[in-house]
Amino acid sequence: MKFIGLTWKPEEVARRFLETHQIPWPNGVGTPSMVDALQGAAPTLYVVSPGGRIVWNDGRARYEHATEDLGTRLEKAIQQALDESEQP
């Protein structure tokens, strides 16, 4: 399982955010075309199965993440992606 972050913001701005929030996973900076292709704007969250299928997204592009029960929703989505990878 891997997490990755993408942002269109400059590296200096992204680095400060990552350090402030102690985000340990890899992050791509200056990626406006990728962010645009995924949702049109950010922030948004996706869970992608090992097979490459998007199994969940928070649908919050252009808005702040809905943090209520976010951990629970992410756990369910990650489990769904893992279960899907175990099916033939």
Side-chain angles (χ1 to χ4, degrees):
M1 179 177 330
K2 296 183 182 187
F3 290 88
I4 184 170
L6 300 173
T7 182
W8 68 88
K9 301 219 174 182
E11 185 172 353
E12 181 181 314
V13 173
R15 189 170 308 285
R16 278 195 310 265
F17 179 86
L18 297 171
E19 289 172 0
T20 298
H21 297 285
Q22 300 179 343
I23 296 177
W25 54 81
N27 284 269
V29 298
T31 59
S33 60
M34 178 61 77
V35 171
D36 193 45
L38 289 173
Q39 188 67 24
T44 192
L45 298 171
Y46 288 89
V47 174
V48 181
S49 74
R53 190 175 81 79
I54 296 172
V55 296
W56 179 85
N57 81 70
D58 72 345
R60 299 299 294 178
R62 299 186 192 93
Y63 304 101
E64 291 186 24
H65 296 294
T67 56
E68 185 176 321
D69 298 326
L70 180 59
T72 301
R73 291 182 288 135
L74 276 171
E75 285 179 23
K76 286 180 182 178
I78 291 167
Q79 188 59 56
Q80 178 184 350
L82 292 173
D83 291 346
E84 181 177 295
S85 71
E86 294 174 2
Q87 296 175 8

